Amino acid sequence: MDPMPGFEFLTRANIEFNEWPIEIEYVNSPLDALAYLRSKSVDDFPDAILSDWRLPFFNGVEMAYRIFQEFGKLHPKTLFYICTCPNDQLDRQQFEQLPLVTAVLPKPFDNGCFGRLWTDAKQAKASPQHLAMSL
Amino acid sequence: MKRVIPEPTILESSRLSSPQPSTHLKGGMYAGHLLKKYAANVLLVTAAKDLLYVGEHIMERLSIPQGATNLEAITDNYLSALLDKGLQTVEASMSICQFSQVPIHQEKSSPLADFKFEPVSVHEQKPNVIEIEILVDGTIGNESLADRELQKLQRENTFLDAFVQGASHDLNGSLVVFKSFIDLFRKYTSEEKKENALQFMKETSVRMERILRGFSDLVNYQKRRKRKLDRLMFETQMSSTLLQLGHKMADCDPIIQTDFSQVPHINYFKAYLNSIFYNLLSNAIKYRREGIQPKIELRTYADTDYIVLEVQDNGIGINMKECSHLLFEPFQRFCPEREGTGIGLSFIHKIVVEHGGYIKVDSQLGKGSTFSVYLKNLEN
């Protein structure tokens, strides 16, 4: 989820260029994101959700809270990342304290981010308690 | 004889929640600060418009005796006017937590001390509680001029903070995207992909330029606050705005209907009225529905102390349930696929409010929006 024009192209280009073995769905509005998640079956639900920290309608914290409330119990293994640019004036701690936020990731996504995502996803699959603990 | 009650002004607002029905309130630290600071001016109101608490100053102003059991007196024009202004935030809070009808659980107004307050952090808030809106009426009470000035400065700082935070986020994001496209451009060998990257770089630089222009508009506004008032004709101001918008209107050919006959003039600052016209008209054009010829109706009328400029369009409309409380926040864009920075509306809202007015918005998704700008006829 990122409303920044060009960011989708950039992310897809990075995935293609670096040949990361992931598929993404991209939305630029949190309301579209909620509608998209509601349309997904249990098997089809994303392994990870990445959201900009500042969004139209509500901020990343509220977005995380809504997703947690609506989908947290059904999909406890889904990872949730807040994304931020260098020099952004955000209260990083505020995000990292939220039990459902897996980590704060820097933009644009590079091999380091992808590696983190990949490791977290594998751990979450191996250990279903990863997020269930915070429900 | 009907009592004349002064027009209330929502000074600040925040949200509380409470297990039903109870005097145990939960909310953020800011809510606690408001309760403590403005106890005598506080009304606690549920979304169902039921009163939970009436502050002392409000009781006095409305001549409600202490310990009165009947609060009907307050529910006439005063409360409806107050709620109308606070309603947007009430609706906004409805979208976060579940609501239900709350009975008035107290037969008379009880001191605020009867309510226990417990600060909670965002992620601790639980569903299935009643959300209560705190509305602080700034027109009642014995606050000194210094207090009012301080509050004005605090509001100004809040706006500037939000502006800087939004600008910083959008500039940072654009810069990151721009730099990444340079890297991609270097790596790409395909001419088509290089061209795509170049196109995105160009669009990103235009976006950064717009944000910086927003900055200079704000700086100019801060610098030129004390300027000369003009006696302005709405018709002339609109015509000059349409000339400025010529290029934007060329490809959609909007129908524009005006009726400024009820109030043809206003004493205002020319540049500010021009900004108001420009932003409202350009938004009406920008957020038009695909395949539908835009129709924009403008009219003016008098309403108590205000001159109202109403701009109605048949555009895509606004999701008021989700974004009414953010409508005038800088850098909030609810339709990211259309160009824009999210500065314009927040800027004209700032102008209108700083000159004693306010803006009311009615909108339906897929049908259109009506912006009613309540302007004070200014005096030198």
Side-chain angles (χ1 to χ4, degrees):
Chain A
M1 260 172 289
D2 199 312
M4 179 66 65
F7 198 69
E8 178 180 7
F9 180 91
L10 187 67
T11 307
R12 289 191 187 281
N14 271 331
I15 291 170
E16 188 190 326
F17 200 85
N18 294 297
E19 297 178 342
W20 295 330
I22 50 173
E23 280 177 31
I24 62 161
E25 286 291 336
Y26 191 94
V27 289
N28 56 19
S29 145
L31 297 184
D32 291 347
L34 290 173
Y36 168 77
L37 293 175
R38 281 178 199 132
S39 74
K40 293 282 128 183
S41 65
V42 174
D43 297 335
D44 216 11
F45 204 78
D47 295 308
I49 299 168
L50 285 80
S51 167
D52 190 19
W53 70 279
R54 198 182 148 93
L55 299 161
F57 301 105
F58 30 82
N59 67 23
V61 172
E62 198 178 330
M63 186 68 212
Y65 183 65
R66 285 193 187 204
I67 288 178
F68 182 60
Q69 268 199 320
E70 196 171 338
F71 307 103
K73 281 185 181 158
L74 272 176
H75 307 283
K77 286 192 281 182
T78 293
L79 308 167
F80 191 92
Y81 296 91
I82 292 285
C83 306
T84 164
C85 292
N87 307 321
D88 267 342
Q89 297 183 330
L90 87 164
D91 184 353
R92 210 184 168 93
Q93 228 181 1
Q94 185 195 10
F95 287 97
E96 285 174 339
Q97 277 171 357
L98 293 173
L100 67 165
V101 172
T102 313
V104 176
L105 288 182
K107 291 198 290 186
F109 307 124
D110 57 13
N111 282 321
C113 291
F114 172 70
R116 167 77 201 256
L117 215 128
W118 191 252
T119 314
D120 287 347
K122 278 206 293 193
Q123 270 176 5
K125 279 188 178 160
S127 159
Q129 301 307 314
H130 178 69
L131 272 179
M133 293 295 286
S134 58
L135 284 173
Chain B
M1 204 176 82
K2 196 166 168 60
R3 270 175 304 133
V4 178
I5 299 165
E7 182 81 0
T9 307
I10 301 296
L11 196 62
E12 289 173 76
S13 73
S14 184
R15 287 194 302 260
L16 287 172
S17 56
S18 160
Q20 173 193 11
S22 163
T23 51
H24 191 94
L25 305 173
K26 288 185 172 189
M29 291 305 290
Y30 186 66
H33 157 78
L34 284 184
L35 284 182
K36 205 168 158 188
K37 186 174 173 192
Y38 300 112
N41 286 13
V42 160
L43 274 178
L44 292 183
V45 189
T46 70
K49 300 188 183 180
D50 290 324
L51 289 167
L52 292 183
Y53 167 79
V54 186
E56 193 185 20
H57 285 150
I58 293 175
M59 299 277 283
E60 276 170 21
R61 178 56 66 99
L62 300 177
S63 315
I64 297 174
Q66 286 291 337
T69 54
N70 183 4
L71 292 177
E72 287 296 313
I74 207 171
T75 60
D76 63 9
N77 296 342
Y78 176 82
L79 183 62
S80 55
L82 189 64
L83 284 172
D84 275 348
K85 290 187 177 183
L87 205 59
Q88 290 191 349
T89 40
V90 173
E91 282 179 353
S93 55
M94 284 178 74
S95 66
I96 300 172
C97 287
Q98 290 177 12
F99 264 73
S100 52
Q101 192 81 16
V102 191
I104 299 179
H105 68 277
Q106 55 199 100
E107 298 232 306
K108 58 179 184 177
S109 171
S110 57
L112 201 52
D114 286 359
F115 289 93
K116 287 178 187 144
F117 179 73
E118 182 187 333
V120 290
S121 64
V122 176
H123 63 277
E124 283 170 348
Q125 286 181 15
K126 300 283 192 296
N128 304 319
V129 294
I130 305 143
E131 193 107 292
I132 298 165
E133 196 75 6
I134 311 173
L135 302 174
V136 180
D137 183 350
T139 59
I140 303 179
N142 303 316
E143 289 158 297
S144 68
L145 196 60
D147 274 348
R148 282 173 190 271
E149 279 303 306
L150 184 64
Q151 285 152 14
K152 200 175 146 192
L153 285 173
Q154 281 168 343
R155 280 199 296 273
E156 177 79 357
N157 277 343
T158 306
F159 176 86
L160 290 176
D161 274 353
F163 193 94
V164 168
Q165 196 186 62
S168 154
H169 171 266
D170 284 15
L171 276 175
N172 261 321
S174 300
L175 191 64
V176 161
V177 168
F178 195 86
K179 283 162 81 175
S180 306
F181 276 124
I182 294 176
D183 290 342
L184 276 177
F185 186 81
R186 283 193 186 128
K187 290 174 189 168
Y188 278 151
T189 48
S190 142
E191 282 305 314
E192 191 191 338
K193 284 184 173 175
K194 278 190 168 189
E195 191 54 44
N196 272 341
L198 270 179
Q199 185 57 31
F200 275 112
M201 276 192 259
K202 193 177 161 193
E203 283 168 18
T204 310
S205 64
V206 169
R207 185 173 166 72
M208 286 196 276
E209 196 183 344
R210 282 206 199 105
I211 297 168
L212 290 171
R213 204 183 304 143
F215 252 128
S216 51
D217 284 349
L218 181 68
V219 171
N220 287 338
Y221 174 73
Q222 303 285 103
K223 267 187 193 168
R224 295 178 197 162
R225 277 185 173 169
K226 303 286 177 201
R227 47 170 77 192
K228 193 178 139 288
L229 270 176
D230 295 297
R231 177 105 172 126
L232 302 166
M233 282 189 75
F234 284 107
E235 193 72 57
T236 316
Q237 284 301 295
M238 197 203 60
S239 303
S240 105
T241 307
L242 290 180
L243 273 178
Q244 287 174 272
L245 282 167
H247 62 291
K248 289 191 179 179
M249 300 206 302
D251 55 345
C252 65
D253 190 24
I255 300 166
I256 296 180
Q257 291 175 348
T258 60
D259 178 5
F260 300 129
S261 57
Q262 285 190 49
V263 186
H265 299 99
I266 187 169
N267 293 332
Y268 219 74
F269 301 100
K270 195 174 175 182
Y272 300 162
L273 192 61
N274 185 49
S275 288
I276 293 167
F277 266 111
Y278 185 89
N279 278 291
L280 294 180
L281 283 169
S282 65
N283 280 350
I285 292 167
K286 193 191 299 173
Y287 300 109
R288 63 184 179 268
R289 272 181 285 161
E290 290 296 327
I292 305 271
Q293 186 178 22
K295 186 178 176 189
I296 308 167
E297 292 171 74
L298 298 99
R299 70 180 186 118
T300 50
Y301 58 90
D303 184 346
T304 55
D305 291 344
Y306 300 96
I307 293 172
V308 185
L309 167 65
E310 191 180 275
V311 181
Q312 188 176 1
D313 66 55
N314 63 345
I316 58 174
I318 301 164
N319 184 340
M320 295 299 282
K321 190 181 163 204
E322 292 288 358
C323 64
S324 59
H325 62 305
L326 296 168
L327 214 49
F328 303 118
E329 288 287 307
F331 294 96
Q332 284 290 343
R333 295 171 61 243
F334 306 109
C335 203
E337 58 276 13
R338 310 222 175 176
E339 67 167 41
T341 53
I343 299 174
L345 211 48
S346 71
F347 192 54
I348 63 166
H349 181 254
K350 180 176 165 65
I351 291 174
V352 171
V353 170
E354 283 189 1
H355 293 91
Y358 62 99
I359 303 178
K360 214 169 106 182
V361 186
D362 292 309
S363 188
Q364 270 189 290
L365 272 177
K367 290 192 173 168
S369 307
T370 303
F371 283 80
S372 305
V373 186
Y374 286 71
L375 299 163
K376 281 275 184 192
N377 199 20
L378 302 175
E379 290 170 16
N380 273 317

